[in-house]
Amino acid sequence: MNSQEFIKKLKEILPEREYAESSKRAILAVDQYPRWSFWGSLTESLSTGAAIVMVGALLILALGGFSSLNPFSLRSLDPVGLKAEAEAIDIQIRLSNLNYNDFTRVISEKKAITTASIVSTEDEKTAENNTSLMAVIDETVSSSTKNIGVDDVLQELSK
Amino acid sequence: MLDGEEKLISLAKDGDSSAFGVLYDHYLPRIYRFVYVKVASREDAEDISHQVFLNAWQNMPKYKHKGFPFSSWLYEISRNQVIDYYRTRKEAVSVEDIDPDSVSEEAHGETLNVELDLERVMKKLRTMKSEYQDVLILRFVEDMSLKEVASALNKTEGAIKLLQHRAIATLKEFFGDDVQIKEDE
């Protein structure tokens, strides 16, 4: 066989008729793919775009990208600021809320007893001193309610 | 090119199955030969040819005539299908491997010898580069012009001329003859 005979033989290669008919019937029984349409393409583009935007937003949220824009963030909840504020607080316990009435009642009772004893022992000076002491206490209580200390009062009483 | 091909293509794009049927009848032998030379099996050639025209029918609405023959598009689909075939193919039994003595006594000896010779030559042909095979088949079996072959293979005419020259030289090595094949046109 030479090259020309070979080429001639190749030209004689043909599909079988039965195969050709059955293949054509099977092919034409299948639906074609839809043709491109503007609205179909637009809808598909919008849905694709929306999906991309959603995925992007989820990724950003996952990475905490929106933390600075958190509407629920309160200045008072800032841990650094809170810590500084706590350290700045000058905590001094003051007994400024002493029940003045009870305190003076006790003092008055003591005064009465003391005065009575003083009168009985004819020690006017002591009574005066006690009275003046009460005045001092009263004066102390009334003049400096903010700085009154129990220790101060007890000390005065002891005197 | 088929007479009234543009009209048939337009009708087929709109879903006219009879119009596509005409195109199918005209181009099936060419596509079948093209595929058969490459895969060396009638069954595989039938399967691949069926798939080629199925793809063409389903995608007809999207086909756009860009100045190239309709056959160029079919050959492009065929080449892609053959590539996919070779990716997944299993070893096929070639006629070359069949013991001639096992063939039925009723077979005509001469015809069988010719078939075996053809198979042997085609086996040699398949050892050539795919591009050489394509040019040989389209130019000398399908009698297509240089321009048509160039559009079918998506190459320039100059590239087709070069491939043709090399393919003929390789073919002559196979046969060892001095038969001249027309290279012009």
Side-chain angles (χ1 to χ4, degrees), chain B residues 78-131:
Chain B
S78 303
R79 282 201 311 278
N80 292 335
Q81 288 293 326
V82 170
I83 290 171
D84 291 342
Y85 163 80
Y86 276 111
R87 281 180 186 161
T88 57
R89 85 181 179 102
K90 299 174 183 179
E91 287 191 8
V93 177
S94 170
V95 173
E96 181 71 11
D97 298 330
I98 295 176
D99 184 4
D101 294 334
S102 65
V103 179
S104 169
E105 294 178 357
E106 294 179 359
H108 295 288
E110 186 177 342
T111 304
L112 185 60
N113 285 334
V114 171
E115 290 293 332
L116 289 173
D117 285 341
L118 180 63
E119 177 60 27
R120 287 195 190 98
V121 174
M122 285 182 63
K123 196 172 183 180
K124 271 192 175 179
L125 182 66
R126 281 189 290 279
T127 61
M128 293 171 64
K129 283 186 178 181
S130 177
E131 293 174 323

Side-chain angles (χ1 to χ4, degrees), chain A residues 71-83:
Chain A
F72 298 104
S73 63
L74 299 174
R75 195 174 180 178
S76 60
L77 296 179
D78 178 22
V80 175
L82 282 173
K83 185 179 178 182

Side-chain angles (χ1 to χ4, degrees), chain A residues 3-4 19 23 30 33 35, chain B residues 12 14 46 50 57-58 177 179:
Chain A
S3 55
Q4 291 288 11
Y19 153 75
S23 173
V30 176
Y33 293 144
R35 187 181 296 188
Chain B
D14 291 334
E46 289 176 353
H50 176 83
W57 166 243
Q58 288 182 311
D177 56 5
V179 178

Side-chain angles (χ1 to χ4, degrees), chain A:
Chain A
M1 182 185 291
N2 57 30
S3 55
Q4 291 288 11
E5 289 174 352
F6 172 65
I7 290 173
K8 185 180 175 185
K9 280 292 177 188
L10 288 180
K11 288 184 178 182
E12 293 172 0
I13 295 174
L14 291 170
E16 292 182 6
R17 182 171 289 184
E18 288 180 6
Y19 153 75
E21 291 296 326
S22 64
S23 173
K24 184 167 69 174
R25 274 198 303 274
I27 289 169
L28 296 180
V30 176
D31 293 331
Q32 291 179 318
Y33 293 144
R35 187 181 296 188
W36 180 87
S37 68
F38 175 75
W39 292 114
S41 175
L42 180 64
T43 305
E44 191 175 346
S45 302
L46 285 175
S47 63
T48 305
I52 292 171
V53 168
M54 287 287 291
V55 170
L58 284 171
L59 280 173
I60 291 171
L61 281 173
L63 295 173
F66 285 141
S67 60
S68 62
L69 301 178
N70 187 355
F72 298 104
S73 63
L74 299 174
R75 195 174 180 178
S76 60
L77 296 179
D78 178 22
V80 175
L82 282 173
K83 185 179 178 182
E85 200 173 322
E87 289 175 352
I89 293 174
D90 182 19
I91 299 176
Q92 293 182 1
I93 300 174
R94 297 189 184 90
L95 299 176
S96 59
N97 290 328
L98 287 174
N99 192 331
Y100 178 73
N101 293 329
D102 289 337
F103 180 73
T104 53
R105 181 175 60 79
V106 171
I107 299 297
S108 298
E109 288 175 358
K110 284 189 176 177
K111 174 185 173 184
I113 295 170
T114 307
T115 305
S117 62
I118 292 172
V119 170
S120 62
T121 58
E122 299 180 355
D123 191 351
E124 293 183 355
K125 195 178 270 190
T126 306
E128 287 178 0
N129 288 340
N130 287 340
T131 305
S132 66
L133 176 62
M134 279 304 301
V136 169
I137 291 174
D138 286 341
E139 190 179 6
T140 306
V141 169
S142 62
S143 66
S144 60
T145 53
K146 288 184 181 178
N147 296 326
I148 188 171
V150 174
D151 292 337
D152 294 334
V153 173
L154 292 173
Q155 189 175 0
E156 291 297 325
L157 285 173
S158 64
K159 289 181 180 175

